[in-house]
Amino acid sequence: MNTIPKSSFAFLKSLKKNNHRDWMTENKKEYQTNEKSLKAFYADIQAGLNVDDEIAKLKVFRINRDVRFSKDKTPYNVHRSVSFSRAGAHRRGGYYLRLEPGGNSVVAGGFFNPEPKDLLRIRTEIQMDSSEIRSILSEPAFAKAYGGKFDAWNPVKTAPKGFSKDDPNIDLIRLKNFVVTHKFTDEEVHAPDFGKKVLYHFELLRPFFDLMSDVLTTDLNGVSLLD
């Protein structure tokens, strides 16, 4: 399996100090060389995922930032990231990898900003029975890798419309995203076994994805929405 060269992080560190177009133009060849190495690594991860899953799309996010609505007008991201979309309407959930110097590299997976109907369906399922999702979150290997909980980004302050703030599952119902993350040190990223570690953490997500895929492709009576 291909590895992440130290030169890729050296480039990103230099970019952080020289985040302007002139510098990028002068160092375009180095950027392209590093991108080639990273894409080879991404391809290996996709191949590894396809052993037990089916990936429809690998998306490499652009290094150019969208600065239209941001106060920060620096033109480039100082990280590289990629997502892997699962194939078919019956497979839900997505894998994400972000590479950033300074111990900020992460693998993540789940449901980021789900559509309103999907969010309502997930919340309703949790309200009815949270035992399966809580079992997955507390499974020892999963809990060790992902902390045993979802990342709470901007949850509802009290309770979503139609739900009670006194519901015993309000800690999960309040969430707007159902995503877990795991951080890696720079040393781990450059190690020969980093690809295996990424795949291991992605594989831990499979029971979570399988459960949510079942929830999001059936109605409250368990009848398939795909037939």
Side-chain angles (χ1 to χ4, degrees):
M1 180 175 287
N2 286 281
T3 59
I4 303 295
K6 291 184 178 181
S7 61
S8 63
F9 272 21
F11 176 83
L12 290 173
K13 289 177 182 178
S14 295
L15 174 61
K16 189 173 183 178
K17 297 177 181 178
N18 303 276
N19 202 330
H20 53 81
R21 289 183 174 81
D22 288 344
W23 185 89
M24 178 62 91
T25 299
E26 293 171 3
N27 293 272
K28 186 175 182 180
K29 188 174 181 179
E30 183 181 356
Y31 163 70
Q32 292 173 332
T33 298
N34 284 313
E35 283 296 289
K36 185 177 180 180
S37 297
L38 293 177
K39 288 178 180 178
F41 179 81
Y42 303 153
D44 285 347
I45 297 300
Q46 182 176 13
L49 285 171
N50 275 323
V51 172
D52 295 309
D53 203 346
E54 186 174 342
I55 302 303
K57 181 181 179 182
L58 183 162
K59 177 181 178 180
V60 179
F61 292 90
R62 299 175 69 236
I63 198 166
N64 299 74
R65 296 181 63 249
D66 183 353
V67 299
R68 291 175 298 172
F69 307 106
S70 175
K71 292 181 180 179
D72 179 3
K73 298 302 181 181
T74 51
Y76 304 108
N77 288 307
V78 294
H79 64 269
R80 304 303 297 121
S81 55
V82 61
S83 66
F84 305 87
S85 302
R86 306 177 79 211
H90 61 295
R91 291 187 181 91
R92 297 296 186 93
Y95 305 96
Y96 176 79
L97 170 65
R98 175 183 177 124
L99 300 169
E100 182 177 356
N104 297 314
S105 298
V106 300
V107 289
F111 301 82
F112 180 74
N113 284 341
E115 295 180 3
K117 65 176 183 178
D118 284 349
L119 180 57
L120 176 60
R121 180 69 180 89
I122 293 171
R123 285 171 168 168
T124 303
E125 185 71 24
I126 291 171
Q127 180 188 51
M128 293 171 58
D129 182 6
S130 68
S131 61
E132 287 187 89
I133 191 63
R134 291 191 187 279
S135 177
I136 290 171
L137 289 172
S138 62
E139 191 278 323
F142 189 97
K144 182 178 180 180
Y146 292 110
K149 59 182 180 180
F150 295 115
D151 297 338
W153 297 323
N154 191 31
V156 176
K157 291 184 178 180
T158 54
K161 184 178 180 180
F163 295 88
S164 170
K165 64 181 179 62
D166 298 318
D167 192 293
N169 295 305
I170 194 61
D171 60 318
L172 297 178
I173 293 172
R174 290 173 61 237
L175 300 178
K176 297 178 182 178
N177 302 280
F178 297 85
V179 175
V180 292
T181 60
H182 175 87
K183 277 193 173 185
F184 293 98
T185 65
D186 292 3
E187 291 74 17
E188 287 178 302
V189 170
H190 298 309
D193 65 346
F194 180 58
K196 291 182 179 179
K197 285 186 176 181
V198 170
L199 288 173
Y200 168 75
H201 283 81
F202 282 163
E203 287 164 5
L204 288 174
L205 296 171
R206 209 69 49 74
F208 169 44
F209 286 174
D210 289 345
L211 173 62
M212 288 293 99
S213 294
D214 183 58
V215 168
L216 294 172
T217 58
T218 61
D219 63 20
L220 293 176
N221 296 314
V223 178
S224 175
L225 300 174
L226 302 178
D227 297 337

